[in-house]
Amino acid sequence: MSLKCGIVGLPNVGKSTLFNCLSNAKAQSANFPFCTIEPNVGVITVPDDRLNRLVEMCNPRSVVPATVEIVDIAGLVKGASKGEGLGNKFLANIRETDAIIHVLRCFDDDNITHVDGSVDPVRDKEIIDTELQIKDLETIEGRIARTQKQAQTGGDKAAKMQYEVLKQFKEALEQGKPARSVEFETPDEQKFAKELFLLTYKPVLYVCNVDESSAVSGNHYVEAVREAIKDEGAELLIVAAGTESDIAELDSYEDRQEFLREIGLEESGVSRLIRSAYSLLDLQTFFTAGEDECRAWTFRRGSKAPKCAGVIHTDFEKGFIRAEVIKYDDYVTLGGESAVKEAGKFGVEGKEYIVQDGDIMHFRFNV
């Protein structure tokens, strides 16, 4: 399952520093690799203590963690929707992602020039929001022109539904609101809304890049951002990218943990960011565990057993018979599959079973 999060922001807010930290991220006690696909694209391991615990118990020959693809998108400037700076290339790169990590500068440093001359993360946020909204409005107006006549003169129910969705988006965007602020009730409306690939309909995580002294509790810039996004349904994360860069340079897990303790953090901002990105994409994890391999498999929240079987192989979904399920806590507490069976906690589920985060699965199929 290849899903991308795009890192966006104005120039000099810390995007590339954060991306470089992610590229050097050590997945907790295990050193899983970071893979660079292109200069600005990387596949990053999702830190998960549950996988580490399964590895300890099974001592497998192979370990495969869950991953997320992160894209460092070049800094946007005012006027991008009209082609300023990298303009259309920037917007096209965002369109190709599934979610947005929006980095905001929330620190003072006279040695790092701000593109607009002063530090104001709310203003910076609004600059990018405006550029994305302008582009979305262009998309919506183009679709409305093609859909309106068909919806108003014909008996096409689908066209009428689409026209109503487009009108709601247009109204929100003209009020300066992101497309994601519009909620739809029916599956058809939701499906059509997603198929428009609007830039501001994508889920967003705001990352407030702060100095080391603000890494734990934030600062007045962070509070201003928190107030500005309170009605967006978006998440906010505080990260000190400069400090994370120093942590990433340390070789041993123990040294990294000691550094974190010294500044008052339980875990690195990079680990929190990776997990937040995973959650932002509405992803969860099920596991397969044994002597050959312990592996974390990525699936969409709410997926049924056959769909998750298809994550491993399409034949598993086509010929699905049943799913054998062990809850992670039972597996760890009782000491493995045999003990779970003896305790009567080994589950056998059919096609309607909704897989839960952390389930340890074995699929039976016949093709």
Side-chain angles (χ1 to χ4, degrees):
M1 182 178 288
S2 179
L3 294 167
K4 294 182 181 178
C5 278
I7 301 179
V8 306
L10 294 178
N12 295 339
V13 298
K15 293 187 300 83
S16 294
T17 301
L18 195 58
F19 181 80
N20 290 336
C21 292
L22 290 166
S23 72
N24 290 319
K26 311 290 195 304
Q28 310 217 359
S29 60
N31 288 342
F32 297 122
F34 165 92
C35 168
T36 300
I37 301 172
E38 296 174 14
N40 65 335
V41 182
V43 176
I44 298 168
T45 296
V46 179
D48 197 327
D49 279 331
R50 297 172 301 180
L51 180 61
N52 293 339
R53 184 74 181 97
L54 292 175
V55 169
E56 290 173 3
M57 293 178 67
C58 298
N59 192 27
R61 285 182 279 275
S62 172
V63 181
V64 184
T67 60
V68 171
E69 196 166 305
I70 303 287
V71 186
D72 181 19
I73 297 172
L76 177 146
V77 295
K78 190 180 294 183
S81 60
K82 305 301 180 185
E84 293 295 327
L86 290 176
N88 292 329
K89 185 176 187 300
F90 172 95
L91 296 167
N93 286 341
I94 297 178
R95 200 176 298 280
E96 291 172 2
T97 64
D98 300 285
I100 295 172
I101 298 170
H102 187 161
V103 182
L104 297 166
R105 177 172 169 175
C106 295
F107 65 91
D108 295 306
D109 188 335
D110 294 337
N111 295 319
I112 302 176
T113 303
H114 191 287
V115 68
D116 282 325
S118 62
V119 177
D120 186 342
V122 174
R123 176 202 59 207
D124 296 352
K125 170 192 172 303
E126 289 172 352
I127 288 172
I128 287 190
D129 284 351
T130 298
E131 297 303 325
L132 300 186
Q133 287 165 12
I134 289 170
K135 207 66 182 175
D136 279 350
L137 196 53
E138 289 178 9
T139 300
I140 292 298
E141 288 174 341
R143 290 295 296 262
I144 283 180
R146 297 196 299 272
T147 307
Q148 184 173 7
K149 186 175 181 180
Q150 187 179 3
Q152 292 178 341
T153 60
D156 190 335
K157 290 183 179 179
K160 289 181 180 180
M161 175 274 292
Q162 293 173 5
Y163 180 59
E164 289 303 316
V165 168
L166 292 166
K167 279 203 310 180
Q168 290 184 63
F169 274 144
K170 185 173 187 290
E171 182 179 337
L173 291 164
E174 286 177 339
Q175 293 174 2
K177 298 177 181 178
R180 62 181 165 272
S181 66
V182 182
E183 296 182 2
F184 299 102
E185 294 182 2
T186 71
D188 286 343
E189 290 173 331
Q190 293 165 1
K191 183 173 183 289
F192 175 65
K194 189 171 291 187
E195 289 172 350
L196 292 170
F197 297 105
L198 298 178
L199 302 172
T200 65
Y201 196 60
K202 299 177 187 293
V204 63
L205 169 67
Y206 291 101
V207 175
C208 292
N209 183 16
V210 301
D211 54 27
E212 185 175 308
S213 64
S214 304
V216 176
S217 56
N219 55 32
H220 67 285
Y221 292 130
V222 174
E223 292 311 310
V225 173
R226 201 185 303 278
E227 177 65 22
I229 69 169
K230 65 181 181 182
D231 297 325
E232 281 194 29
E235 294 183 51
L236 181 147
L237 193 67
I238 301 170
V239 175
T243 304
E244 295 290 328
S245 181
D246 293 336
I247 294 171
E249 293 297 320
L250 300 173
D251 291 327
S252 77
Y253 175 73
E254 290 74 19
D255 287 345
R256 294 193 297 274
Q257 291 303 110
E258 179 62 28
F259 193 127
L260 289 169
R261 281 192 293 271
E262 287 177 1
I263 62 174
L265 292 174
E266 292 184 6
E267 66 172 340
S268 74
V270 164
S271 292
R272 288 184 285 116
L273 174 57
I274 296 170
R275 275 204 303 276
S276 294
Y278 195 69
S279 176
L280 189 67
L281 292 167
D282 208 23
L283 302 178
Q284 292 183 323
T285 302
F286 72 84
F287 300 99
T288 50
E291 292 181 358
D292 286 337
E293 179 183 81
C294 283
R295 182 164 183 160
W297 299 89
T298 297
F299 69 98
R300 288 277 193 188
R301 184 193 308 271
S303 296
K304 293 181 180 179
K307 191 74 174 176
C308 288
V311 172
I312 298 177
H313 197 287
T314 52
D315 284 350
F316 285 26
E317 182 174 6
K318 292 175 184 175
F320 179 88
I321 298 173
R322 66 178 183 272
E324 296 170 353
V325 185
I326 301 174
K327 296 302 177 183
Y328 171 81
D329 287 344
D330 290 339
Y331 191 96
V332 172
T333 302
L334 296 172
E337 184 174 326
S338 297
V340 169
K341 288 179 177 177
E342 289 176 11
K345 295 194 173 184
F346 186 80
V348 177
E349 304 288 353
K351 293 182 177 180
E352 295 304 309
Y353 176 69
I354 297 175
V355 177
Q356 302 299 304
D357 186 45
D359 280 353
I360 298 170
M361 310 288 292
H362 182 73
F363 297 104
R364 300 291 183 183
F365 71 103
N366 183 34
V367 177

